[in-house]
Amino acid sequence: MKKILILLTFLSATLGASAETIGNVSTTFKLLSPNDKVVVEVFDDPQVDGVACYLSHAKTGGYAGALGLAEDTSDASVACRQVGAIAFKGKVEHEEEVFNTRSSFLFKHVRVVRMVDVKRNTLVYLVYSDKLVDGSPKNSVTAVAVPAGQPIPLQ
């Protein structure tokens, strides 16, 4: 059982896409340990060139946060924008996870899912937090319109 738990922890840490940290702001002051903060990161859609997503989410400080043992709150926001010519690397799924990051030592993640609005030729991105036992309904959504003459290639 212990080996399985270690394997699951390792896999969950390695499956998340990487993001570049843009910056952060402290939300609380802690005298002898790291502050709680809101972190802003950016990642590119792995299947769609020309789309970048900016993600803000809470990071718990304190000693537990410094050791990676704290559980972050489920507060997160996403804003995806066209940053260049949109080009699809292949067919995309109607609904697909494009990013995830751990928000606790075990079993809690912040996830970003891309959905396709075929009728409006638009990519919709949803951020939410899940947990093995009880997730959170807190979420945020953003959309990127694809040019009218460029259909989205669905699987």
Side-chain angles (χ1 to χ4, degrees), residues 115-131:
M115 301 172 189
V116 178
D117 179 351
V118 176
K119 181 178 177 182
R120 293 163 192 83
N121 207 45
T122 300
L123 301 171
V124 179
Y125 296 84
L126 168 73
V127 64
Y128 68 100
S129 177
D130 70 355
K131 192 174 176 182

Side-chain angles (χ1 to χ4, degrees), residues 6-65:
I6 291 170
L7 178 63
L8 286 173
T9 303
F10 174 75
L11 288 175
S12 68
T14 59
L15 289 178
S18 63
E20 175 186 342
T21 300
I22 300 296
N24 63 74
V25 295
S26 292
T27 58
T28 61
F29 173 74
K30 298 187 183 285
L31 184 60
L32 299 174
S33 61
N35 295 343
D36 295 338
K37 55 188 153 188
V38 174
V39 177
V40 176
E41 299 175 316
V42 63
F43 66 91
D44 297 315
D45 186 316
Q47 290 295 107
V48 185
D49 286 336
V51 174
C53 294
Y54 295 86
L55 175 69
S56 68
H57 58 97
K59 290 296 271 181
T60 303
Y63 294 114

